[in-house]
Amino acid sequence: MKKAHSFHIPVMGIGFTIDSPLKVAQYGIDSVISLVDDILIEKLRKMYSEKFEIPYSEITDKVDDFRAKRITSYLNLIHDTVEKKFEALKNITLEKSDDMKAYINMLPSNSSIKAEFKKLTETGFNVSEIKNWAAKNLTKGSIDVNIMTKVDKDNYIKDQQLPSEYNDAHAALRGFANSKLNASVVLSAGMNPRLYAYMSQFDDFYPTQTGAFNKKIILKVSDYRSALIQGKFLAKKGLWVSEYRIESGLNCGGHAFATDGYLLGPVLAEFKEKREELRASIESVLNQELENQGRVISETPLKIEISAQGGVGTHEEHEFLMDTYELDSIGWGTPFLLVPEATTVDKKTLNQLVAAKEDDLYLSDISPLGIPFNSLRGNTKDLEKEVLIKKGRPGSACPKKFVSLNKEFKEKGICVASREYQYLKIKELENEGLPEREFQNKYNKIIEKSCTCVGLGTSTLLAYNLDTKTEGEGVSICPGPNMAYYSKIMSLKNMTDHIYARDNMVSRTDRPNLFIKELYIYIDYLKNKLEEVNTELTKKEEKYFLTFTRNMNEGVAYYKSLFSELKNTFNDIKEEVLNELDKGEKTLRLIALEIENLSVKNQNVKVLA
């Protein structure tokens, strides 16, 4: 059955969308649950079991395979509760019709379902007829899950390392695979070959004769090459990627996986051009592997969907991306952080988000994963971190250890944001006898890391008045740059009306087009990277910077051509966009000259040596 909406709510942080399906799935809206934190998941399962009067038996960390079992139990609770809510919505009475009306009212204005409902109720409200119609036509939103593939910590019982299937990402995958959900796992943060091989052990991920799947795979990527490589790698295991979810490298929330200067528009254009080639080439690899395994091969060609997310903020942008690049869905993340009916954010943080402007939203180095991370200045987790630094005790107590992945000092791994790691690293640094300035720079890089695996879940505990003794009350939040243009708390109807052009939630008139915003974020990123080089440029660095600027210049040329030829879209900002592209082009020329100068200096130094 066709999806009700042309947008989805992507995973945000650890806790911000952890129960979003309970809030929006009955209205046909897809959303994604993070599976990082099984401790938080267990606390929420207990809370919701009490709320919905469901029998609850705690799954403690003494239970064998507790992480997978906690995740399965929580996902089953979400599944069952959403089913009940959706059935209640469809089981309409004259007295209880508000939920169905809300469902219909939030649909796209051009929805055929909306038109049919209107026609059906024009001559009166025949409850029996509407019930039959709803059973056949209304769809609930998908309850998808996210696994960051690299967050796959080894686990131990005392000093005995457990087999790899007990690693964090492996256990999370098993938790999803064993659940009742007929949904998708969104794989993000790059390849994990061992995890992909493990996934092939679960029959639910394989196609039926009709090309259906009990469990689907969505791959989050930032360019075509990555999609092709990972798609084929999974196909060689007999696994099919049902959706490629393209995210802007930098104009997004959460972790930012910068491309080598590939901008969103050209990336989407390549996917559109090569979509069938991608599908067919991967399907041939898959079918060969299914044949080798003696498994069923679909009698019809398997489908792939292409979606995009990152920085979309207006109906015009939404429709432009859908139409121009023939997409199946658009991810709207950051604005939904201001929608309590869809996401879970504590009141204090909500108010900080409402007040946030461009300078409050920045690309930080606080993530223990060593990946640039979009953050909000003045978030309470960073304030908590600063207090500890001033006390001379930098680093977190690390109560959850989900990203204890660094093995410099311990075979079991330590998190680089932990007090233990930072103490050992600073001690090591002190023994290097470095000049004061160099010492301070390296010291700052050590203490900058923040305990995001706790901070990104604490907001949920505070929002629901749950116990935070273990975690503390510091909140990390990861909005994208788009947050600067939204300045009020919104209802779910407000937000869907905004997406579908029935209302406007952006009060500012100076919001740049999403392509221009991304371009300048990339320019700033490139400038910062160059500043880190100082006066020396290795051959490898030179190649990286030249490739980066060439790709960006090609992106700007693509946009200039695109916007010059547009007839009925972005008319009011077209001239402004073309001017900004000219400015961006000039800035890139100056950066190219700087790269050239650094390269010449480096060559001169070598000659003198």
Side-chain angles (χ1 to χ4, degrees):
M1 204 179 271
K2 195 183 172 189
K3 287 181 180 180
H5 289 276
S6 59
F7 74 90
H8 60 269
I9 303 175
V11 67
M12 285 187 276
I14 287 172
F16 305 118
T17 57
I18 199 161
D19 56 350
S20 289
L22 282 181
K23 302 178 177 188
V24 303
Q26 69 266 32
Y27 299 118
I29 300 169
D30 298 350
S31 58
V32 188
I33 295 170
S34 168
L35 298 187
V36 167
D37 191 344
D38 62 284
I39 300 166
L40 177 62
I41 279 169
E42 183 64 11
K43 285 185 177 182
L44 282 192
R45 187 172 74 88
K46 183 183 180 187
M47 181 192 83
Y48 276 120
S49 294
E50 288 170 3
K51 181 178 178 179
F52 298 126
E53 298 179 347
I54 299 166
Y56 170 79
S57 177
E58 185 183 2
I59 301 169
T60 71
D61 58 9
K62 303 293 185 286
V63 173
D64 177 55
D65 202 21
F66 65 88
R67 178 170 166 81
K69 286 174 181 171
R70 283 173 172 176
I71 288 167
T72 301
S73 298
Y74 180 69
L75 295 179
N76 285 345
L77 180 149
I78 298 283
H79 170 274
D80 293 348
T81 309
V82 166
E83 281 290 324
K84 281 180 186 172
K85 284 188 168 194
F86 188 56
E87 288 307 312
L89 181 148
K90 289 188 294 181
N91 193 24
I92 193 169
T93 63
L94 283 172
E95 294 77 27
K96 293 184 177 179
S97 60
D98 287 354
D99 272 356
M100 185 181 283
K101 284 176 183 173
Y103 183 113
I104 300 297
N105 287 336
M106 281 191 272
L107 291 172
S109 303
N110 62 356
S111 164
S112 59
I113 300 293
K114 199 168 199 167
E116 283 177 29
F117 183 79
K118 188 180 177 184
K119 195 175 177 183
L120 203 62
T121 54
E122 267 173 358
T123 53
F125 212 80
N126 186 319
V127 170
S128 176
E129 195 180 347
I130 291 170
K131 274 185 189 177
N132 290 335
W133 173 85
K136 290 174 192 169
N137 291 282
L138 301 192
T139 57
K140 64 179 182 295
S142 188
I143 305 166
D144 297 328
V145 303
N146 173 246
I147 293 175
M148 288 187 75
T149 59
K150 297 284 177 69
V151 183
D152 197 23
K153 172 177 59 72
D154 301 329
N155 284 309
Y156 293 76
I157 292 182
K158 293 183 179 174
D159 291 325
Q160 185 70 40
Q161 185 174 341
L162 294 171
S164 62
E165 57 262 34
Y166 288 92
N167 286 10
D168 278 3
H170 285 65
L173 178 70
R174 183 166 59 257
F176 169 65
N178 291 336
S179 75
K180 296 176 182 179
L181 293 181
N182 182 349
S184 301
V185 57
V186 182
L187 300 173
S188 63
M191 279 181 76
N192 181 338
R194 191 164 58 173
L195 180 70
Y196 290 0
Y198 180 61
M199 190 180 288
S200 66
Q201 294 181 25
F202 297 95
D203 290 342
D204 271 9
F205 289 108
Y206 290 91
T208 64
Q209 218 161 5
T210 58
F213 295 83
N214 284 329
K215 303 262 190 312
K216 292 181 181 178
I217 298 168
I218 296 174
L219 199 59
K220 197 191 278 191
V221 293
S222 49
D223 61 61
Y224 181 82
R225 183 173 172 271
S226 171
L228 185 62
I229 290 168
Q230 292 193 71
K232 283 190 172 177
F233 188 93
L234 283 157
K236 284 173 185 172
K237 308 288 179 195
L239 300 169
W240 179 252
V241 177
S242 294
E243 180 185 332
Y244 293 89
R245 189 160 282 184
I246 304 149
E247 185 169 68
S248 166
L250 293 177
N251 193 17
C252 59
H255 285 96
F257 295 86
T259 63
D260 288 348
Y262 293 112
L263 301 176
L264 183 63
V267 169
L268 293 177
E270 187 173 12
F271 271 93
K272 179 186 176 182
E273 181 193 341
K274 299 178 179 175
R275 181 171 180 154
E276 178 52 26
E277 182 185 324
L278 177 74
R279 194 206 65 76
S281 63
I282 294 174
E283 187 179 44
S284 66
V285 175
L286 177 89
N287 286 345
Q288 184 58 61
E289 179 56 30
L290 293 175
E291 191 179 318
N292 294 345
Q293 291 185 27
R295 286 185 177 271
V296 168
I297 294 172
S298 172
E299 291 173 350
T300 56
L302 292 173
K303 293 176 183 174
I304 61 167
E305 292 192 346
I306 307 290
S307 63
Q309 57 196 43
V312 184
T314 67
H315 169 73
E316 193 170 24
E317 289 176 351
H318 179 95
E319 286 301 307
F320 176 78
L321 293 181
M322 290 291 290
D323 295 343
T324 306
Y325 302 108
E326 296 170 8
L327 299 176
D328 297 286
S329 181
I330 302 284
W332 283 70
T334 291
F336 270 102
L337 288 172
L338 295 177
V339 183
E341 290 176 62
T343 57
T344 305
V345 184
D346 66 283
K347 281 183 182 174
K348 184 175 181 180
T349 308
L350 256 180
N351 290 329
Q352 283 183 295
L353 292 174
V354 164
K357 298 291 179 277
E358 286 92 338
D359 289 346
D360 301 311
L361 305 156
Y362 73 110
L363 198 59
S364 74
D365 286 318
I366 66 171
S367 171
L369 294 176
I371 299 160
F373 184 77
N374 281 292
S375 192
L376 175 71
R377 290 190 203 281
N379 70 76
T380 51
K381 194 68 186 172
D382 279 359
L383 297 178
E384 193 180 88
K385 178 180 73 173
E386 293 301 322
V387 169
L388 291 169
I389 291 167
K390 282 173 185 169
K391 283 183 179 176
R393 300 187 71 223
S396 160
C398 199
K400 294 191 173 179
K401 298 181 168 48
F402 293 124
V403 284
S404 294
L405 304 170
N406 183 286
K407 298 193 175 183
E408 281 178 72
F409 302 109
K410 270 187 174 180
E411 183 53 36
K412 281 187 181 180
I414 319 176
C415 174
V416 297
S418 70
R419 187 168 300 141
E420 182 181 15
Y421 174 85
Q422 293 189 8
Y423 170 79
L424 293 168
K425 197 68 181 170
I426 291 165
K427 205 165 144 187
E428 183 183 80
L429 183 64
E430 287 168 346
N431 293 331
E432 288 183 25
L434 297 172
E436 178 59 30
R437 191 173 173 184
E438 192 178 343
F439 173 87
Q440 196 60 45
N441 283 341
K442 290 193 173 183
Y443 175 82
N444 289 343
K445 283 188 183 298
I446 294 167
I447 63 169
E448 188 170 15
K449 302 303 178 192
S450 182
C451 181
T452 52
C453 79
V454 168
L456 290 169
T458 303
S459 189
T460 308
L461 299 175
L462 294 172
Y464 292 133
N465 295 313
L466 297 174
D467 181 22
T468 57
K469 277 179 196 165
T470 310
E471 295 86 353
E473 296 201 351
V475 171
S476 301
I477 184 97
C478 50
N482 219 4
M483 182 56 76
Y485 310 105
Y486 294 85
S487 53
K488 54 189 166 189
I489 294 168
M490 299 172 279
S491 69
L492 186 57
K493 187 176 185 304
N494 287 154
M495 196 66 231
T496 52
D497 282 351
H498 175 73
I499 293 169
Y500 296 133
R502 296 186 291 258
D503 203 345
N504 178 28
M505 293 292 111
V506 176
S507 51
R508 288 173 57 175
T509 56
D510 60 343
R511 180 186 173 276
N513 174 270
L514 85 154
F515 292 144
I516 295 299
K517 184 72 176 177
E518 187 197 45
L519 170 65
Y520 280 93
I521 294 170
Y522 262 101
I523 286 172
D524 288 342
Y525 179 82
L526 183 56
K527 283 178 180 175
N528 290 336
K529 282 282 180 191
L530 267 173
E531 278 176 21
E532 289 171 18
V533 169
N534 293 321
T535 55
E536 292 179 25
L537 195 65
T538 65
K539 265 289 178 209
K540 187 180 177 184
E541 285 170 337
E542 183 185 0
K543 185 183 176 187
Y544 168 76
F545 285 122
L546 288 173
T547 301
F548 202 109
T549 49
R550 185 183 69 244
N551 291 335
M552 285 193 69
N553 275 312
E554 286 175 4
V556 170
Y558 167 83
Y559 285 142
K560 286 178 97 168
S561 171
L562 178 74
F563 277 87
S564 296
E565 291 168 14
L566 284 179
K567 294 285 186 283
N568 301 310
T569 312
F570 300 130
N571 290 338
D572 54 334
I573 59 164
K574 187 173 167 181
E575 192 177 331
E576 181 191 328
V577 166
L578 289 168
N579 287 338
E580 290 296 336
L581 289 170
D582 282 337
K583 282 187 208 168
E585 200 169 41
K586 284 171 188 167
T587 306
L588 286 169
R589 276 201 291 271
L590 292 172
I591 290 171
L593 280 172
E594 193 179 340
I595 294 165
E596 195 179 309
N597 290 337
L598 284 169
S599 180
V600 169
K601 275 183 193 173
N602 194 36
Q603 285 167 20
N604 290 339
V605 168
K606 282 181 181 175
V607 169
L608 289 169

